Amino acid sequence: MSNTLRFLALAACMCGSLRAADSSITVSVDKPGVKVSPMLWGIFFEDINLSADGGLYAELVRNRSFEDSDKPEHWSAVSSGNAKIALTVDTAQPLSARNPRSLKVSITDPGVARAGVANGGYFGMAVRKGAKYDLALRARSDGAFKGPLTVTLESADSVAYAKERIKGLTADWQAFRLTLKADTTDPKARLVISADQAGTFWLDGVSLFPQETFKGHGFRPDIAQMLADLKPAFMRFPGGCWVEGNTMKEAYRWKETVGDIFERRSQYNLWGYTATHGIGYHEYLQLSEDLGAEPMFCINVGMSHRENVPLDQMGEYVQDALDALEYANGPADSTWGALRAKAGHPAPFNMKYLEIGNENGGPAYNERYALFHDAVKAKYPDVRLIANHWLGGVPKSRPLDIVDEHYYSNPEFFMAQANRYDSYDRNGYQVFVGEYAVTQGTGEGSLRGAVGEAAFMTGLERNSDVVFMAAYAPLLVNANHRRWNPDLIVYDSSRVYGIPSYYVQQLFSAHRGGTVLPCVVESAPAEPPVQSGMIGVGTWLTQAEFKDIKVTRGDEVLYTCDFAGGAKGWKTKGGAWKAEGGAYRQSALDENVTAVAGDKKWRDYTYTLKARKTGGAEGFLILIGVDKEGQKSWWNLGGWGNRRHGLEMPGVEGAEADGTIETGRWYDIKVELKGGNVKCFLDGKLVHDVHAKPLKALYASPTLSPDGREVILKVVNAAAAPRTADIRLDGVAGVAKGAKGWVLTSGDAMDENSLDEPTKVAPAEFVPAAAVPAFSQVFPGNSVTVMRLPLGR
């Protein structure tokens, strides 16, 4: 937040007595409710967006073992003369059967200076003046070449910051270690290994590590500190879709990620890169301990995105779960506990939570969950198992401890879900909201998205007897490799920042209550959802085609498109679109593929078209009322595994009906928008007739601090304009001195942080005008406020 905006936010919060109240919040301090779960706020680490390699893992060299492909990816030839340099990925004389590749460097005609190879790391190596970096590599020669090799840390234009030499190369592999001390700070440095004479040599396992890491355990300090500042109660790892993989060959198998770093499996990651497993199972456990968080391992359940392990071959996967628990919890003289001790941690990690699969469902998951449940509970009865809530609901084959539910949508969806858990069965399983985030209509992480999530989180906290744990997702993104958007923490080689949602997570976690306090919030609704905007078409894991697009308002024709002349004016997101044969065809089997056209100012219109599914798993998406980039505002036909039709728009709840979409059949589709009313017709039959509900403006969660001395009041204002609330604390004499408050807001709901403005949207501290049981407080538009109110005695 800029200094000016920060001042205005503070001024607004401190001047409650100068504005007439338009809202009220009454807290019954004398009627305490359920205990707040101490595990409620945690983090979810998935290897996505270069979050491990190129992120939290402090390794500076990319493709250090040359296993990315059969080409020398991320390595390049360098020469300051006229040398000829050939780089070849070679498998002769391998150091490791699991990682057999090495880099062969052949230099001829070296000229007068040097020739060799360079590695720029993950979009530049950040080096700092005075810092020391440990280099380790294996090298051999053709026998004739003896060296020396010169190792330099240098700029992109070859200005050296540190230099050392390696001597005595032979035809046999040798390990070399040395330390480089940088004399300059440069976020875009590179590592160069060169010679000043002709010859051939091989390299493998080239690692450059800063000596300074988080608690000495190999994690990049600034990113790890961002995690620590969240004060997470638990850490779920390592995924996510990364656990499943597209095929079982790509699935995460923890036993291939422990032991010697250079013997660990180099594995293709479905998010578009090769993972070194430098952060393996052991390091995840260590990181959890370093953060003071309970570890939660999510294990593959014998299911991938495209295939499942036959039921009669599930034995080794079930055994993996038992062995993972022994590694984490077993004595140092047990088989897997001994390997943990060898890695430097003889004491058990005492892992209490094990998640069985990620986003798995249906009959196959039901069968496999039973296998894992029975085996784990027989040997480790105190370990709490977490089951997936996915297609087909939850597994029915065995009792459930905790169930993992995931939510991704727009800000208004999360506001509408603030009361979701009010009516959950108090005698059933506990809920882990394992993944949630505003992913639509929020740019790369805006204030508005954070406000939507905060409104939802007040409901999670109020229902702590049901909601046991919750974690935002995803956690990390390298700004140069964004495969999911948004992400809580963003970084490049030398800088890091949190999006506004980061500060919401931090505010809720830093100000944990001990007991829920009943409250009544009275406030006029926020501005009604806008039922206007562009139209569009889309698919989800489906191929489809669309034609005869028409938008009318009464007798007025606003837009038509027959695609005879192409798809001019259509803006696509993902997929493979082509206008041909009078139709707009989408042929990719990807998720969340859309194309939009028209005017954001359109309102009160009728949208008609024809659509046909040509392949894939679901039906199609009919976009309506789209007024923001990436907004989720559509009629989902044949969604949820081609079992239901549902209207997914801001302010619309419960608009679902059973239904499927057949392949190869043309459907006539009509959607009418008028005021707050939406009507949807399929082949002339009315499927939905709903009125968009106005959303609440104020959301609140009051709790009593664990020591019983303070009321912690969290208030979210989702309206665009400020709201002034009369706040009453019933059952107490008053508020003592020392009240404190924090507000997260900004000048525009779509404001974001960035590498250049990392705290544009960040909390500002203020002093609430609270001295008696009743006082007035202003909550700025689009804001999240936390107040700690000491109770008078």
Side-chain angles (χ1 to χ4, degrees):
M1 186 189 295
S2 69
N3 288 335
T4 300
L5 292 174
R6 195 180 301 274
F7 172 78
L8 292 174
L10 288 172
C13 287
M14 295 172 65
C15 296
S17 60
L18 303 181
R19 300 172 61 99
D22 50 38
S23 309
S24 66
I25 301 172
T26 303
V27 181
S28 299
V29 183
D30 56 345
K31 298 177 182 178
V34 300
K35 296 295 183 183
V36 176
S37 168
M39 296 295 295
L40 189 55
W41 309 120
I43 57 176
F44 164 47
F45 187 103
E46 177 168 15
D47 193 346
I48 183 175
N49 303 316
L50 289 176
S51 57
D53 299 299
L56 183 62
Y57 188 43
E59 173 65 74
L60 296 177
V61 175
R62 187 167 188 180
N63 192 18
R64 64 186 179 189
S65 294
F66 309 101
E67 298 296 330
D68 280 20
S69 75
D70 58 2
K71 297 179 180 179
E73 305 282 352
H74 311 295
W75 292 84
S76 60
V78 293
S79 173
S80 56
N82 298 315
K84 297 177 181 179
I85 307 167
L87 304 182
T88 308
V89 173
D90 189 21
T91 56
Q93 205 171 326
L95 268 172
S96 166
R98 176 171 281 169
N99 299 304
R101 295 183 174 120
S102 61
L103 181 64
K104 179 181 179 182
V105 183
S106 299
I107 303 171
T108 56
D109 301 326
V112 296
R114 65 168 188 170
V117 292
N119 187 286
Y122 295 87
F123 311 100
M125 292 182 179
V127 298
R128 184 168 47 87
K129 182 177 180 179
K132 295 180 179 180
Y133 301 87
D134 292 330
L135 177 77
L137 61 81
R138 287 89 176 272
R140 69 180 180 90
S141 76
D142 58 3
F145 178 76
K146 306 295 184 184
L149 296 178
T150 300
V151 180
T152 54
L153 275 177
E154 61 182 51
S155 67
D157 56 356
S158 303
V159 176
Y161 304 142
K163 181 184 293 186
E164 295 290 342
R165 288 202 164 193
I166 292 175
K167 301 177 181 179
L169 269 66
T170 69
D172 297 319
W173 285 109
Q174 297 179 78
F176 297 92
R177 295 182 178 275
L178 53 86
T179 298
L180 298 165
K181 183 178 180 180
D183 64 8
T184 305
T185 295
D186 184 355
K188 295 286 187 181
R190 64 181 183 177
L191 174 71
V192 174
I193 302 171
S194 63
D196 58 4
Q197 57 185 293
T200 299
F201 60 92
W202 285 257
L203 299 172
D204 200 0
V206 182
S207 171
L208 185 67
F209 238 89
Q211 287 190 354
E212 180 188 354
T213 63
F214 186 73
K215 298 194 175 183
H217 290 139
F219 306 115
R220 183 172 144 178
D222 55 347
I223 298 176
Q225 189 59 53
M226 292 283 286
L227 302 184
D229 289 345
L230 289 172
K231 303 184 186 304
F234 66 89
M235 186 178 84
R236 176 186 176 220
F237 62 88
C241 293
W242 170 230
V243 169
E244 302 158 273
N246 285 325
T247 65
M248 288 308 302
K249 183 180 179 181
E250 297 171 5
Y252 185 90
R253 306 297 300 277
W254 74 268
K255 291 177 181 176
E256 299 173 328
T257 75
V258 295
D260 185 284
I261 286 289
F262 294 107
E263 288 296 326
R264 298 181 185 186
R265 175 189 180 191
S266 295
Q267 180 179 354
Y268 173 73
N269 186 309
L270 78 172
W271 296 109
Y273 50 90
T274 298
T276 68
H277 291 303
I279 297 182
Y281 181 59
H282 181 93
E283 287 75 22
Y284 284 121
L285 292 168
Q286 183 64 65
L287 177 61
S288 299
E289 182 176 272
D290 290 347
L291 296 174
E294 294 281 357
M296 179 200 299
F297 179 40
C298 180
I299 194 165
N300 185 280
V301 70
M303 301 176 69
S304 70
H305 288 171
R306 299 173 186 166
E307 61 186 0
N308 300 332
V309 175
L311 208 59
D312 61 359
Q313 298 176 26
M314 283 295 301
E316 74 172 271
Y317 293 85
V318 174
Q319 189 62 47
D320 278 355
L322 298 176
D323 293 343
L325 288 166
E326 181 175 285
Y327 187 101
N329 300 344
D333 59 356
S334 63
T335 301
W336 290 101
L339 188 60
R340 179 196 68 236
K342 184 179 179 181
H345 202 287
F349 285 107
N350 296 317
M351 185 167 70
K352 303 180 183 70
Y353 303 95
L354 180 69
E355 182 161 10
I356 309 302
N358 170 73
E359 293 183 351
N360 299 126
Y365 181 63
N366 192 54
E367 294 171 329
R368 285 157 180 77
Y369 180 80
L371 297 177
F372 281 80
H373 175 279
D374 292 352
V376 172
K377 289 296 186 181
K379 191 171 183 179
Y380 299 98
D382 294 332
V383 169
R384 302 196 70 189
L385 298 183
I386 300 167
N388 301 165
H389 188 295
W390 201 239
L391 301 179
V394 300
K396 303 292 197 302
S397 55
R398 292 296 185 273
L400 302 173
D401 296 338
I402 305 172
V403 168
D404 185 2
E405 300 181 353
H406 296 176
Y407 304 100
Y408 296 103
S409 193
N410 54 53
E412 293 75 20
F413 166 87
F414 282 97
M415 295 168 193
Q417 299 302 312
N419 296 325
R420 180 181 186 89
Y421 293 101
D422 292 359
S423 59
Y424 261 49
D425 183 2
R426 263 51 192 172
N427 297 313
Y429 52 73
Q430 291 184 298
V431 172
F432 169 36
V433 184
E435 299 181 29
Y436 68 94
V438 170
T439 55
Q440 308 278 343
T442 191
E444 292 186 349
S446 69
L447 171 64
R448 183 62 176 173
V451 167
E453 291 153 4
F456 180 61
M457 291 166 70
T458 63
L460 303 186
E461 188 171 66
R462 284 188 296 99
N463 289 282
S464 279
D465 54 334
V466 171
V467 182
F468 184 60
M469 314 164 102
Y472 180 99
L475 188 62
L476 300 174
V477 61
N478 187 309
N480 298 289
H481 188 92
R482 190 183 292 270
R483 293 299 180 268
W484 184 281
N485 181 68
D487 308 270
L488 203 64
I489 298 169
V490 188
Y491 48 86
D492 62 9
S493 67
S494 62
R495 298 172 293 175
V496 61
Y497 72 90
I499 66 173
S501 297
Y502 173 88
Y503 294 104
V504 167
Q505 295 293 321
Q506 188 180 61
L507 284 170
F508 274 69
S509 184
H511 302 286
R512 299 171 187 264
T515 307
V516 173
L517 297 176
C519 77
V520 175
V521 179
E522 294 183 356
S523 184
E527 301 79 4
V530 177
Q531 300 300 338
S532 64
M534 298 180 289
I535 54 90
V537 293
T539 60
W540 195 288
L541 298 174
T542 306
Q543 300 161 322
E545 53 186 344
F546 309 88
K547 66 179 183 180
D548 298 343
I549 306 287
K550 188 175 184 179
V551 183
T552 60
R553 183 190 296 122
D555 295 331
E556 179 185 5
V557 177
L558 300 177
Y559 180 77
T560 62
C561 185
D562 60 9
F563 299 106
K568 185 178 180 181
W570 285 78
K571 185 176 181 180
T572 63
K573 175 189 172 186
W577 295 91
K578 187 175 184 181
E580 60 181 359
Y584 203 17
R585 293 172 179 159
Q586 197 294 109
S587 57
L589 291 171
D590 297 332
E591 296 182 349
N592 199 12
V593 176
T594 60
V596 296
D599 192 330
K600 293 181 180 180
K601 297 179 181 179
W602 282 348
R603 63 184 308 157
D604 295 340
Y605 59 76
T606 298
Y607 172 29
T608 60
L609 73 158
K610 295 182 184 294
R612 177 167 69 175
K613 172 183 174 180
T614 57
E618 302 203 350
F620 22 76
L621 307 173
I622 308 303
L623 279 69
I624 44 176
V626 178
D627 71 330
K628 300 176 185 176
E629 181 182 351
Q631 183 181 18
K632 184 178 182 180
S633 186
W634 57 47
W635 187 16
N636 187 348
L637 288 159
W640 299 275
N642 201 14
R643 294 197 302 273
R644 298 200 304 276
H645 307 320
L647 191 58
E648 301 178 271
M649 297 180 67
V652 174
E653 295 183 62
E656 294 185 5
D658 292 339
T660 61
I661 295 297
E662 300 174 13
T663 301
R665 172 184 167 187
W666 282 106
Y667 290 86
D668 289 311
I669 297 168
K670 180 171 74 171
V671 181
E672 296 177 354
L673 292 184
K674 189 171 183 179
N677 180 238
V678 185
K679 293 183 179 179
C680 301
F681 300 83
L682 184 64
D683 285 338
K685 180 181 178 181
L686 179 65
V687 180
H688 308 296
D689 183 359
V690 298
H691 286 267
K693 297 180 180 179
L695 294 166
K696 291 168 58 178
L698 293 185
Y699 304 80
S701 173
T703 58
L704 195 63
S705 63
D707 62 9
R709 296 180 178 180
E710 294 176 295
V711 169
I712 303 170
L713 179 59
K714 302 179 179 77
V715 179
V716 179
N717 181 7
R723 293 292 172 101
T724 302
D726 283 337
I727 299 174
R728 174 174 291 278
L729 305 181
D730 285 348
V732 296
V735 177
K737 293 181 179 180
K740 294 182 179 180
W742 297 262
V743 60
L744 179 73
T745 191
S746 194
D748 191 298
M750 297 307 293
D751 278 349
E752 302 179 17
N753 294 331
S754 66
L755 289 167
D756 293 326
E757 293 184 278
T759 56
K760 180 178 181 179
V761 186
E765 190 170 352
F766 69 98
V767 178
V772 293
F775 61 96
S776 183
Q777 186 67 47
V778 175
F779 300 101
N782 283 298
S783 67
V784 181
T785 301
V786 177
M787 294 183 287
R788 299 189 74 108
L789 309 172
L791 298 178
R793 298 296 179 184

